[in-house]
PDB file of all heavy atoms in Angstrom:
ATOM      1  N   ASP A   1      63.958 180.901 248.207  1.00 94.00           N
ATOM      2  CA  ASP A   1      64.881 179.899 248.701  1.00 94.00           C
ATOM      3  C   ASP A   1      66.271 180.481 248.514  1.00 94.00           C
ATOM      4  O   ASP A   1      66.811 180.482 247.407  1.00 94.00           O
ATOM      5  CB  ASP A   1      64.714 178.594 247.925  1.00 94.00           C
ATOM      6  CG  ASP A   1      65.591 177.482 248.456  1.00 94.00           C
ATOM      7  OD1 ASP A   1      66.601 177.762 249.129  1.00 94.00           O
ATOM      8  OD2 ASP A   1      65.273 176.305 248.194  1.00 94.00           O
ATOM      9  N   ASN A   2      66.836 180.991 249.582  1.00 90.00           N
ATOM     10  CA  ASN A   2      68.131 181.664 249.490  1.00 90.00           C
ATOM     11  C   ASN A   2      69.249 180.729 249.033  1.00 90.00           C
ATOM     12  O   ASN A   2      70.172 181.157 248.333  1.00 90.00           O
ATOM     13  CB  ASN A   2      68.499 182.286 250.838  1.00 90.00           C
ATOM     14  CG  ASN A   2      67.648 183.487 251.176  1.00 90.00           C
ATOM     15  OD1 ASN A   2      67.180 184.207 250.291  1.00 90.00           O
ATOM     16  ND2 ASN A   2      67.452 183.727 252.466  1.00 90.00           N
ATOM     17  N   SER A   3      69.180 179.484 249.433  1.00 92.00           N
ATOM     18  CA  SER A   3      70.231 178.541 249.072  1.00 92.00           C
ATOM     19  C   SER A   3      70.269 178.278 247.576  1.00 92.00           C
ATOM     20  O   SER A   3      71.307 177.893 247.038  1.00 92.00           O
ATOM     21  CB  SER A   3      70.054 177.230 249.831  1.00 92.00           C
ATOM     22  OG  SER A   3      68.884 176.545 249.433  1.00 92.00           O
ATOM     23  N   LYS A   4      69.144 178.496 246.902  1.00 94.00           N
ATOM     24  CA  LYS A   4      69.066 178.263 245.462  1.00 94.00           C
ATOM     25  C   LYS A   4      68.895 179.551 244.667  1.00 94.00           C
ATOM     26  O   LYS A   4      68.691 179.500 243.452  1.00 94.00           O
ATOM     27  CB  LYS A   4      67.923 177.309 245.150  1.00 94.00           C
ATOM     28  CG  LYS A   4      68.094 175.925 245.768  1.00 94.00           C
ATOM     29  CD  LYS A   4      66.945 175.005 245.393  1.00 94.00           C
ATOM     30  CE  LYS A   4      67.145 173.626 245.984  1.00 94.00           C
ATOM     31  NZ  LYS A   4      66.035 172.706 245.628  1.00 94.00           N
ATOM     32  N   ASN A   5      68.963 180.692 245.356  1.00 94.00           N
ATOM     33  CA  ASN A   5      68.811 182.000 244.708  1.00 94.00           C
ATOM     34  C   ASN A   5      67.561 182.052 243.846  1.00 94.00           C
ATOM     35  O   ASN A   5      67.585 182.507 242.702  1.00 94.00           O
ATOM     36  CB  ASN A   5      70.052 182.322 243.876  1.00 94.00           C
ATOM     37  CG  ASN A   5      71.297 182.458 244.711  1.00 94.00           C
ATOM     38  OD1 ASN A   5      71.300 183.161 245.720  1.00 94.00           O
ATOM     39  ND2 ASN A   5      72.368 181.795 244.292  1.00 94.00           N
ATOM     40  N   THR A   6      66.473 181.597 244.421  1.00 96.00           N
ATOM     41  CA  THR A   6      65.224 181.484 243.686  1.00 96.00           C
ATOM     42  C   THR A   6      64.091 182.164 244.438  1.00 96.00           C
ATOM     43  O   THR A   6      63.977 182.026 245.654  1.00 96.00           O
ATOM     44  CB  THR A   6      64.865 180.012 243.446  1.00 96.00           C
ATOM     45  OG1 THR A   6      65.930 179.368 242.735  1.00 96.00           O
ATOM     46  CG2 THR A   6      63.587 179.892 242.631  1.00 96.00           C
ATOM     47  N   VAL A   7      63.259 182.887 243.710  1.00 97.00           N
ATOM     48  CA  VAL A   7      62.065 183.485 244.275  1.00 97.00           C
ATOM     49  C   VAL A   7      60.855 182.871 243.582  1.00 97.00           C
ATOM     50  O   VAL A   7      60.890 182.592 242.381  1.00 97.00           O
ATOM     51  CB  VAL A   7      62.064 185.023 244.135  1.00 97.00           C
ATOM     52  CG1 VAL A   7      62.073 185.450 242.674  1.00 97.00           C
ATOM     53  CG2 VAL A   7      60.883 185.634 244.867  1.00 97.00           C
ATOM     54  N   PHE A   8      59.796 182.645 244.351  1.00 98.00           N
ATOM     55  CA  PHE A   8      58.603 181.997 243.843  1.00 98.00           C
ATOM     56  C   PHE A   8      57.402 182.922 243.995  1.00 98.00           C
ATOM     57  O   PHE A   8      57.360 183.788 244.866  1.00 98.00           O
ATOM     58  CB  PHE A   8      58.312 180.701 244.599  1.00 98.00           C
ATOM     59  CG  PHE A   8      59.454 179.731 244.621  1.00 98.00           C
ATOM     60  CD1 PHE A   8      60.340 179.707 245.689  1.00 98.00           C
ATOM     61  CD2 PHE A   8      59.645 178.839 243.583  1.00 98.00           C
ATOM     62  CE1 PHE A   8      61.391 178.807 245.720  1.00 98.00           C
ATOM     63  CE2 PHE A   8      60.692 177.934 243.601  1.00 98.00           C
ATOM     64  CZ  PHE A   8      61.565 177.916 244.667  1.00 98.00           C
ATOM     65  N   LEU A   9      56.426 182.698 243.157  1.00 98.00           N
ATOM     66  CA  LEU A   9      55.143 183.357 243.297  1.00 98.00           C
ATOM     67  C   LEU A   9      54.064 182.303 243.129  1.00 98.00           C
ATOM     68  O   LEU A   9      53.820 181.835 242.018  1.00 98.00           O
ATOM     69  CB  LEU A   9      54.964 184.475 242.270  1.00 98.00           C
ATOM     70  CG  LEU A   9      53.685 185.305 242.427  1.00 98.00           C
ATOM     71  CD1 LEU A   9      53.735 186.116 243.724  1.00 98.00           C
ATOM     72  CD2 LEU A   9      53.484 186.226 241.228  1.00 98.00           C
ATOM     73  N   GLN A  10      53.454 181.931 244.234  1.00 98.00           N
ATOM     74  CA  GLN A  10      52.347 180.992 244.208  1.00 98.00           C
ATOM     75  C   GLN A  10      51.067 181.775 243.979  1.00 98.00           C
ATOM     76  O   GLN A  10      50.726 182.661 244.767  1.00 98.00           O
ATOM     77  CB  GLN A  10      52.266 180.216 245.522  1.00 98.00           C
ATOM     78  CG  GLN A  10      51.099 179.245 245.610  1.00 98.00           C
ATOM     79  CD  GLN A  10      51.221 178.095 244.638  1.00 98.00           C
ATOM     80  OE1 GLN A  10      52.293 177.520 244.494  1.00 98.00           O
ATOM     81  NE2 GLN A  10      50.119 177.762 243.972  1.00 98.00           N
ATOM     82  N   MET A  11      50.366 181.462 242.912  1.00 98.00           N
ATOM     83  CA  MET A  11      49.168 182.188 242.527  1.00 98.00           C
ATOM     84  C   MET A  11      47.976 181.248 242.593  1.00 98.00           C
ATOM     85  O   MET A  11      47.898 180.276 241.840  1.00 98.00           O
ATOM     86  CB  MET A  11      49.315 182.779 241.128  1.00 98.00           C
ATOM     87  CG  MET A  11      50.531 183.686 240.964  1.00 98.00           C
ATOM     88  SD  MET A  11      50.596 184.496 239.344  1.00 98.00           S
ATOM     89  CE  MET A  11      50.849 183.061 238.293  1.00 98.00           C
ATOM     90  N   ASP A  12      47.063 181.544 243.489  1.00 98.00           N
ATOM     91  CA  ASP A  12      45.858 180.751 243.666  1.00 98.00           C
ATOM     92  C   ASP A  12      44.635 181.604 243.361  1.00 98.00           C
ATOM     93  O   ASP A  12      44.694 182.829 243.352  1.00 98.00           O
ATOM     94  CB  ASP A  12      45.764 180.211 245.094  1.00 98.00           C
ATOM     95  CG  ASP A  12      46.906 179.301 245.470  1.00 98.00           C
ATOM     96  OD1 ASP A  12      47.302 178.466 244.629  1.00 98.00           O
ATOM     97  OD2 ASP A  12      47.407 179.416 246.613  1.00 98.00           O
ATOM     98  N   SER A  13      43.521 180.943 243.134  1.00 98.00           N
ATOM     99  CA  SER A  13      42.258 181.635 242.844  1.00 98.00           C
ATOM    100  C   SER A  13      42.436 182.673 241.747  1.00 98.00           C
ATOM    101  O   SER A  13      41.993 183.820 241.867  1.00 98.00           O
ATOM    102  CB  SER A  13      41.713 182.289 244.120  1.00 98.00           C
ATOM    103  OG  SER A  13      41.499 181.337 245.139  1.00 98.00           O
ATOM    104  N   LEU A  14      43.060 182.270 240.679  1.00 98.00           N
ATOM    105  CA  LEU A  14      43.377 183.197 239.597  1.00 98.00           C
ATOM    106  C   LEU A  14      42.124 183.737 238.923  1.00 98.00           C
ATOM    107  O   LEU A  14      41.119 183.031 238.769  1.00 98.00           O
ATOM    108  CB  LEU A  14      44.273 182.519 238.570  1.00 98.00           C
ATOM    109  CG  LEU A  14      45.736 182.384 238.995  1.00 98.00           C
ATOM    110  CD1 LEU A  14      46.451 181.340 238.155  1.00 98.00           C
ATOM    111  CD2 LEU A  14      46.442 183.735 238.878  1.00 98.00           C
ATOM    112  N   LYS A  15      42.210 184.989 238.526  1.00 97.00           N
ATOM    113  CA  LYS A  15      41.126 185.687 237.863  1.00 97.00           C
ATOM    114  C   LYS A  15      41.575 186.146 236.479  1.00 97.00           C
ATOM    115  O   LYS A  15      42.767 186.320 236.238  1.00 97.00           O
ATOM    116  CB  LYS A  15      40.695 186.907 238.687  1.00 97.00           C
ATOM    117  CG  LYS A  15      40.281 186.594 240.109  1.00 97.00           C
ATOM    118  CD  LYS A  15      39.993 187.878 240.875  1.00 97.00           C
ATOM    119  CE  LYS A  15      39.588 187.591 242.303  1.00 97.00           C
ATOM    120  NZ  LYS A  15      39.320 188.847 243.061  1.00 97.00           N
ATOM    121  N   PRO A  16      40.637 186.372 235.560  1.00 96.00           N
ATOM    122  CA  PRO A  16      41.026 186.851 234.230  1.00 96.00           C
ATOM    123  C   PRO A  16      41.871 188.122 234.270  1.00 96.00           C
ATOM    124  O   PRO A  16      42.756 188.289 233.423  1.00 96.00           O
ATOM    125  CB  PRO A  16      39.683 187.095 233.540  1.00 96.00           C
ATOM    126  CG  PRO A  16      38.771 186.110 234.178  1.00 96.00           C
ATOM    127  CD  PRO A  16      39.199 186.070 235.630  1.00 96.00           C
ATOM    128  N   GLU A  17      41.615 188.997 235.223  1.00 95.00           N
ATOM    129  CA  GLU A  17      42.377 190.229 235.317  1.00 95.00           C
ATOM    130  C   GLU A  17      43.815 190.022 235.770  1.00 95.00           C
ATOM    131  O   GLU A  17      44.611 190.966 235.768  1.00 95.00           O
ATOM    132  CB  GLU A  17      41.682 191.239 236.241  1.00 95.00           C
ATOM    133  CG  GLU A  17      41.300 190.671 237.594  1.00 95.00           C
ATOM    134  CD  GLU A  17      39.853 190.229 237.651  1.00 95.00           C
ATOM    135  OE1 GLU A  17      39.384 189.597 236.685  1.00 95.00           O
ATOM    136  OE2 GLU A  17      39.180 190.515 238.660  1.00 95.00           O
ATOM    137  N   ASP A  18      44.164 188.803 236.156  1.00 97.00           N
ATOM    138  CA  ASP A  18      45.546 188.488 236.484  1.00 97.00           C
ATOM    139  C   ASP A  18      46.380 188.217 235.241  1.00 97.00           C
ATOM    140  O   ASP A  18      47.596 188.045 235.336  1.00 97.00           O
ATOM    141  CB  ASP A  18      45.625 187.269 237.402  1.00 97.00           C
ATOM    142  CG  ASP A  18      45.012 187.524 238.765  1.00 97.00           C
ATOM    143  OD1 ASP A  18      45.235 188.611 239.328  1.00 97.00           O
ATOM    144  OD2 ASP A  18      44.321 186.616 239.276  1.00 97.00           O
ATOM    145  N   THR A  19      45.744 188.163 234.097  1.00 97.00           N
ATOM    146  CA  THR A  19      46.429 187.876 232.842  1.00 97.00           C
ATOM    147  C   THR A  19      47.481 188.935 232.525  1.00 97.00           C
ATOM    148  O   THR A  19      47.242 190.132 232.673  1.00 97.00           O
ATOM    149  CB  THR A  19      45.426 187.788 231.688  1.00 97.00           C
ATOM    150  OG1 THR A  19      44.564 186.665 231.891  1.00 97.00           O
ATOM    151  CG2 THR A  19      46.139 187.622 230.350  1.00 97.00           C
ATOM    152  N   GLY A  20      48.632 188.486 232.081  1.00 97.00           N
ATOM    153  CA  GLY A  20      49.690 189.399 231.699  1.00 97.00           C
ATOM    154  C   GLY A  20      51.029 188.691 231.656  1.00 97.00           C
ATOM    155  O   GLY A  20      51.129 187.493 231.929  1.00 97.00           O
ATOM    156  N   VAL A  21      52.038 189.441 231.303  1.00 98.00           N
ATOM    157  CA  VAL A  21      53.396 188.927 231.339  1.00 98.00           C
ATOM    158  C   VAL A  21      53.976 189.248 232.708  1.00 98.00           C
ATOM    159  O   VAL A  21      53.967 190.402 233.139  1.00 98.00           O
ATOM    160  CB  VAL A  21      54.273 189.540 230.234  1.00 98.00           C
ATOM    161  CG1 VAL A  21      55.694 189.008 230.315  1.00 98.00           C
ATOM    162  CG2 VAL A  21      53.679 189.247 228.862  1.00 98.00           C
ATOM    163  N   TYR A  22      54.466 188.239 233.374  1.00 98.00           N
ATOM    164  CA  TYR A  22      55.026 188.402 234.708  1.00 98.00           C
ATOM    165  C   TYR A  22      56.541 188.429 234.622  1.00 98.00           C
ATOM    166  O   TYR A  22      57.163 187.538 234.041  1.00 98.00           O
ATOM    167  CB  TYR A  22      54.559 187.267 235.618  1.00 98.00           C
ATOM    168  CG  TYR A  22      53.133 187.437 236.090  1.00 98.00           C
ATOM    169  CD1 TYR A  22      52.077 187.350 235.189  1.00 98.00           C
ATOM    170  CD2 TYR A  22      52.848 187.702 237.428  1.00 98.00           C
ATOM    171  CE1 TYR A  22      50.771 187.533 235.604  1.00 98.00           C
ATOM    172  CE2 TYR A  22      51.546 187.876 237.852  1.00 98.00           C
ATOM    173  CZ  TYR A  22      50.510 187.792 236.942  1.00 98.00           C
ATOM    174  OH  TYR A  22      49.206 187.967 237.368  1.00 98.00           O
ATOM    175  N   TYR A  23      57.126 189.459 235.213  1.00 98.00           N
ATOM    176  CA  TYR A  23      58.563 189.668 235.172  1.00 98.00           C
ATOM    177  C   TYR A  23      59.174 189.560 236.554  1.00 98.00           C
ATOM    178  O   TYR A  23      58.666 190.142 237.517  1.00 98.00           O
ATOM    179  CB  TYR A  23      58.897 191.053 234.612  1.00 98.00           C
ATOM    180  CG  TYR A  23      58.434 191.295 233.199  1.00 98.00           C
ATOM    181  CD1 TYR A  23      57.180 191.845 232.937  1.00 98.00           C
ATOM    182  CD2 TYR A  23      59.261 190.997 232.121  1.00 98.00           C
ATOM    183  CE1 TYR A  23      56.758 192.083 231.642  1.00 98.00           C
ATOM    184  CE2 TYR A  23      58.844 191.239 230.823  1.00 98.00           C
ATOM    185  CZ  TYR A  23      57.596 191.781 230.591  1.00 98.00           C
ATOM    186  OH  TYR A  23      57.186 192.024 229.304  1.00 98.00           O
ATOM    187  N   CYS A  24      60.256 188.850 236.628  1.00 98.00           N
ATOM    188  CA  CYS A  24      61.045 188.812 237.849  1.00 98.00           C
ATOM    189  C   CYS A  24      61.958 190.031 237.891  1.00 98.00           C
ATOM    190  O   CYS A  24      62.493 190.451 236.859  1.00 98.00           O
ATOM    191  CB  CYS A  24      61.872 187.523 237.886  1.00 98.00           C
ATOM    192  SG  CYS A  24      62.859 187.303 239.380  1.00 98.00           S
ATOM    193  N   ASN A  25      62.115 190.597 239.059  1.00 97.00           N
ATOM    194  CA  ASN A  25      62.944 191.787 239.230  1.00 97.00           C
ATOM    195  C   ASN A  25      63.746 191.677 240.511  1.00 97.00           C
ATOM    196  O   ASN A  25      63.241 191.212 241.529  1.00 97.00           O
ATOM    197  CB  ASN A  25      62.061 193.042 239.265  1.00 97.00           C
ATOM    198  CG  ASN A  25      62.810 194.274 239.722  1.00 97.00           C
ATOM    199  OD1 ASN A  25      62.671 194.721 240.854  1.00 97.00           O
ATOM    200  ND2 ASN A  25      63.618 194.835 238.817  1.00 97.00           N
ATOM    201  N   VAL A  26      64.993 192.105 240.448  1.00 96.00           N
ATOM    202  CA  VAL A  26      65.820 192.144 241.649  1.00 96.00           C
ATOM    203  C   VAL A  26      66.584 193.458 241.707  1.00 96.00           C
ATOM    204  O   VAL A  26      66.847 194.093 240.684  1.00 96.00           O
ATOM    205  CB  VAL A  26      66.826 190.969 241.724  1.00 96.00           C
ATOM    206  CG1 VAL A  26      66.107 189.634 241.635  1.00 96.00           C
ATOM    207  CG2 VAL A  26      67.895 191.087 240.644  1.00 96.00           C
ATOM    208  N   TRP A  27      66.913 193.867 242.918  1.00 95.00           N
ATOM    209  CA  TRP A  27      67.792 194.995 243.163  1.00 95.00           C
ATOM    210  C   TRP A  27      69.049 194.475 243.835  1.00 95.00           C
ATOM    211  O   TRP A  27      68.978 193.629 244.728  1.00 95.00           O
ATOM    212  CB  TRP A  27      67.122 196.038 244.053  1.00 95.00           C
ATOM    213  CG  TRP A  27      66.153 196.902 243.323  1.00 95.00           C
ATOM    214  CD1 TRP A  27      64.822 196.685 243.142  1.00 95.00           C
ATOM    215  CD2 TRP A  27      66.449 198.148 242.670  1.00 95.00           C
ATOM    216  NE1 TRP A  27      64.264 197.705 242.418  1.00 95.00           N
ATOM    217  CE2 TRP A  27      65.242 198.619 242.117  1.00 95.00           C
ATOM    218  CE3 TRP A  27      67.611 198.898 242.506  1.00 95.00           C
ATOM    219  CZ2 TRP A  27      65.170 199.812 241.401  1.00 95.00           C
ATOM    220  CZ3 TRP A  27      67.540 200.091 241.793  1.00 95.00           C
ATOM    221  CH2 TRP A  27      66.329 200.527 241.255  1.00 95.00           C
ATOM    222  N   VAL A  28      70.183 195.007 243.383  1.00 93.00           N
ATOM    223  CA  VAL A  28      71.461 194.617 243.962  1.00 93.00           C
ATOM    224  C   VAL A  28      72.200 195.865 244.438  1.00 93.00           C
ATOM    225  O   VAL A  28      72.058 196.948 243.866  1.00 93.00           O
ATOM    226  CB  VAL A  28      72.329 193.832 242.967  1.00 93.00           C
ATOM    227  CG1 VAL A  28      71.591 192.586 242.493  1.00 93.00           C
ATOM    228  CG2 VAL A  28      72.714 194.700 241.776  1.00 93.00           C
ATOM    229  N   ARG A  29      72.976 195.692 245.479  1.00 89.00           N
ATOM    230  CA  ARG A  29      73.760 196.801 246.008  1.00 89.00           C
ATOM    231  C   ARG A  29      75.031 196.980 245.199  1.00 89.00           C
ATOM    232  O   ARG A  29      75.673 196.008 244.803  1.00 89.00           O
ATOM    233  CB  ARG A  29      74.095 196.557 247.469  1.00 89.00           C
ATOM    234  CG  ARG A  29      72.872 196.438 248.365  1.00 89.00           C
ATOM    235  CD  ARG A  29      73.259 196.442 249.822  1.00 89.00           C
ATOM    236  NE  ARG A  29      72.099 196.202 250.677  1.00 89.00           N
ATOM    237  CZ  ARG A  29      71.213 197.131 251.003  1.00 89.00           C
ATOM    238  NH1 ARG A  29      71.355 198.370 250.561  1.00 89.00           N
ATOM    239  NH2 ARG A  29      70.189 196.820 251.777  1.00 89.00           N
ATOM    240  N   GLY A  30      75.390 198.243 244.975  1.00 84.00           N
ATOM    241  CA  GLY A  30      76.606 198.563 244.269  1.00 84.00           C
ATOM    242  C   GLY A  30      77.798 198.601 245.201  1.00 84.00           C
ATOM    243  O   GLY A  30      77.724 198.201 246.367  1.00 84.00           O
ATOM    244  N   LYS A  31      78.898 199.122 244.678  1.00 83.00           N
ATOM    245  CA  LYS A  31      80.126 199.168 245.458  1.00 83.00           C
ATOM    246  C   LYS A  31      80.146 200.296 246.483  1.00 83.00           C
ATOM    247  O   LYS A  31      80.997 200.303 247.359  1.00 83.00           O
ATOM    248  CB  LYS A  31      81.328 199.298 244.517  1.00 83.00           C
ATOM    249  CG  LYS A  31      81.527 198.091 243.615  1.00 83.00           C
ATOM    250  CD  LYS A  31      82.752 198.251 242.750  1.00 83.00           C
ATOM    251  CE  LYS A  31      82.969 197.024 241.881  1.00 83.00           C
ATOM    252  NZ  LYS A  31      84.180 197.171 241.034  1.00 83.00           N
TER     253      LYS A  31
END
């Protein structure tokens, strides 16, 4: 949602192998 600067991850049909720490990551352009 660009207006709210938010990214989502909808996870369905989860499996045990999906277990872990999930990190959000972004890249930004420099000058």
Side-chain angles (χ1 to χ4, degrees):
D1 184 339
N2 289 330
S3 67
K4 298 182 179 180
N5 296 311
T6 302
V7 62
F8 305 95
L9 185 67
Q10 178 67 44
M11 304 185 294
D12 299 318
S13 301
L14 283 162
K15 303 175 180 179
E17 51 263 43
D18 294 318
T19 295
V21 179
Y22 283 67
Y23 299 91
C24 182
N25 168 257
V26 304
W27 281 90
V28 302
R29 299 190 185 280
K31 295 182 178 180

